[in-house]
Amino acid sequence: MSSKGVAPRIVIGVSGGIAAFKAVSVVRLWKKAGWQVQVLATPAALGLVGKTTWEAISGNPVYTEITQDVAHGAHVELAREADAFLVLPATANTIAKLAMGMADNMLTATALVATCPKIIAPAMHTQMWEHPATRRNLSTLQTDGWQVISPVSGELTSGDSGMGRLPEPEEIFSQAKQLIGSQSATADSNPEACPKLKGKRVIITAGGTSEPIDPVRVLTNLSTGTQGIELAKTAKALGAEVELIYSTISVPLPAGIKATYAGSARDLLSLLEARWDQTDVLVMAAAVADWRPAEVATQKMKKGQADTLTLELVRNPDILATLGKKPRGNKILVGFAAETAQGEAALSLAREKVAKKRVDLLALNQVGSGKGFGNVENQLFFLDFNGQLLGQSQGSKATVSQALWQQVNDLIAEKESI
Ligand SMILES: Cc1cc2nc3c(=O)[nH]c(=O)nc-3n(C[C@H](O)[C@H](O)[C@H](O)COP(=O)(O)O)c2cc1C
């Protein structure tokens, strides 16, 4: 029950994406969970799933145009009554309008008034998803406080497959519930413990890069982005000015943190080079592919009659080593080493990496089956510029994040005192 003494109310804004049919099941799931559901469908959404369906499933009238129910000031009333606002599927068009603060239909106007937790679940063709305009608009929405349920990679209606597919209704429901209920995971972060981070311009990279093979296939890895996202949330709670640069991830982006998408290793490097002069701390938690296909096919590769396929791979640029060679000043460069080796063997690989990449701090992360990837406990070993073991931290990804920022804080203090 909401604080208003009645069943909690969610406003579900549906825009004109082909995945609108999945929103019908999401409405049902909220109803089953005892929520009142108010659907706001754009005219394009009604072209895909009719008003009758929404009204029958939600048990409430559907609003589309800003001129409906003017006597009650519907968009203001609906926004005030809402305990949560969820837009799904969010089209590139609606995302652009929300980012601009436009208010030309009931969905966009109500969103502009609502102060409750706001969540957006984009879905679109990969090219639309990767377009710089969409990336910019989503980043603006996150800075404005929207939380994003990231699309997944999979089959798209065009017959292509790639990033941009709306997750299944149960997944959306569960992620949205978690986001609505979530307190900041780092609410107990103590800014006093890391005073040097306050106001620092911090970039954290997260997720696994994706290296195109053809217009619908990529080479990627098992990184989920969870650790990088926890680092970003903790840094924000510690008072840093944070930008998260993410590649393929399978967890929601954090609310209120500027987030920029970079698909491949080369995309990531050019973004980081462009940001370098304005960055105080860079933490490279992304899992960057060492290799990429030598040629990217311009058309979807056909399987033909062959039983085997040989892909020629070429080396990707080494991002840490490239940035490590740049004039550093008081900047702090932090690397991650994900190793499947254990104990001394892992430490020795990590020391080699420190020497090769010239990082100020290296976090050694042992990964493998059931270890390191996703929402599991993590263990980080911290090594300094000379490969000396500074300490270790074990626990949730939020706990080890706090420990990493403590190390960064101490390094900043050391550099500033010289
Ligand atoms: C069959 C069909 C499916 C579409 N699917 C999508 C989609 O998944 N994502 C998207 O961003 N746009 C999609 N579009 C384009 C949008 O409907 C179009 O940009 C429209 O202007 C969106 O308006 P709205 O954002 O106000 O709902 C689709 C269009 C059609 C005709």
Side-chain angles (χ1 to χ4, degrees):
M1 295 288 163
S2 74
S3 56
K4 298 166 183 116
V6 290
R9 181 187 290 266
I10 185 162
V11 172
I12 297 192
V14 185
S15 59
I18 195 67
F21 72 93
K22 287 189 183 171
V24 176
S25 302
V26 176
V27 170
R28 288 185 74 123
L29 289 167
W30 287 100
K31 289 282 289 179
K32 264 186 159 168
W35 285 59
Q36 294 184 59
V37 182
Q38 178 64 62
V39 174
L40 310 181
T42 65
L46 291 187
L48 294 162
V49 178
K51 187 172 169 187
T52 318
T53 302
W54 299 117
E55 294 193 341
I57 298 290
S58 70
N60 276 316
V62 170
Y63 293 94
T64 300
E65 303 294 351
I66 191 70
T67 46
Q68 275 174 267
D69 202 7
V70 178
H72 293 106
H75 65 289
V76 176
E77 202 57 28
L78 291 168
R80 280 207 192 120
E81 288 287 308
D83 295 296
F85 197 115
L86 169 64
V87 182
L88 95 141
T91 58
N93 180 59
T94 286
I95 290 170
K97 285 190 196 176
L98 292 171
M100 290 282 289
M102 288 173 71
D104 64 340
N105 61 33
M106 194 61 97
L107 189 165
T108 50
T110 310
L112 214 48
V113 183
T115 53
C116 58
K118 287 188 280 193
I119 300 161
I120 193 155
M124 63 199 73
H125 192 271
T126 311
Q127 258 105 34
M128 292 171 96
W129 170 248
E130 290 187 341
H131 194 283
T134 308
R135 311 258 47 88
R136 237 179 3 251
N137 293 331
L138 266 175
S139 179
T140 302
L141 286 181
Q142 285 178 293
T143 310
D144 291 349
W146 285 80
Q147 311 198 68
V148 179
I149 295 180
S150 179
V152 291
S153 197
E155 248 180 65
L156 304 169
T157 24
S158 49
D160 293 342
S161 89
M163 192 70 171
R165 181 183 162 89
L166 193 73
E168 293 311 304
E170 292 73 15
E171 180 61 27
I172 299 262
F173 176 67
S174 128
Q175 283 196 32
K177 247 185 33 198
Q178 217 178 329
L179 289 171
I180 292 165
S182 73
Q183 300 295 323
S184 166
T186 48
D188 57 352
S189 293
N190 176 11
E192 301 310 315
C194 298
K196 293 290 178 191
L197 277 172
K198 195 158 189 312
K200 290 286 185 302
R201 296 160 303 178
V202 168
I203 289 185
I204 297 129
T205 66
T209 59
S210 64
E211 307 297 331
I213 298 171
D214 68 13
V216 298
R217 299 185 180 94
V218 295
L219 284 181
T220 186
N221 56 61
L222 291 178
S223 172
T224 61
T226 313
Q227 182 65 73
I229 287 172
E230 282 308 327
L231 283 163
K233 292 196 314 200
T234 315
K236 172 118 196 286
L238 292 170
E241 203 183 287
V242 180
E243 180 176 8
L244 178 72
I245 300 186
Y246 67 102
S247 303
T248 305
I249 56 170
S250 45
V251 289
L253 287 168
I257 291 179
K258 180 176 178 195
T260 308
Y261 178 75
S264 68
R266 286 184 299 171
D267 295 342
L268 186 55
L269 177 58
S270 44
L271 252 181
L272 292 173
E273 287 194 302
R275 304 277 202 277
W276 183 250
D277 287 344
Q278 293 83 43
T279 303
D280 297 313
V281 182
L282 169 62
V283 178
M284 280 290 299
V288 181
D290 293 329
W291 305 91
R292 68 174 188 277
E295 305 260 340
V296 181
T298 52
Q299 301 285 326
K300 183 178 173 187
M301 288 163 69
K302 295 289 172 211
K303 73 174 169 278
Q305 297 304 313
D307 286 331
T308 59
L309 169 71
T310 305
L311 276 181
E312 191 190 352
L313 302 179
V314 292
R315 207 175 262 284
N316 262 331
D318 186 327
I319 298 181
L320 267 181
T322 309
L323 298 175
K325 287 186 196 126
K326 289 187 184 290
R328 184 117 22 126
N330 278 355
K331 293 183 199 305
I332 304 283
L333 182 58
V334 182
F336 264 72
E339 300 293 352
T340 48
Q342 302 294 308
E344 261 313 310
L347 278 173
S348 136
L349 289 170
R351 286 192 178 106
E352 275 174 34
K353 193 162 181 175
V354 169
K356 231 163 64 192
K357 320 246 170 174
R358 303 189 62 247
V359 289
D360 297 290
L361 181 72
L362 189 89
L364 166 64
N365 190 193
Q366 293 184 338
V367 295
S369 171
K371 269 168 97 183
F373 297 121
N375 194 15
V376 293
E377 290 229 327
N378 210 5
Q379 184 174 22
L380 298 182
F381 293 87
F382 301 114
L383 284 83
D384 73 5
F385 191 77
N386 299 310
Q388 291 279 354
L389 186 59
L390 296 169
Q392 63 96 30
S393 170
Q394 187 166 12
S396 69
K397 288 188 169 174
T399 302
V400 301
S401 297
Q402 180 79 31
L404 183 141
W405 289 122
Q406 188 68 61
Q407 296 287 349
V408 171
N409 178 78
D410 297 350
L411 278 171
I412 299 173
E414 213 175 287
K415 280 204 181 191
E416 286 180 354
S417 69
I418 294 170

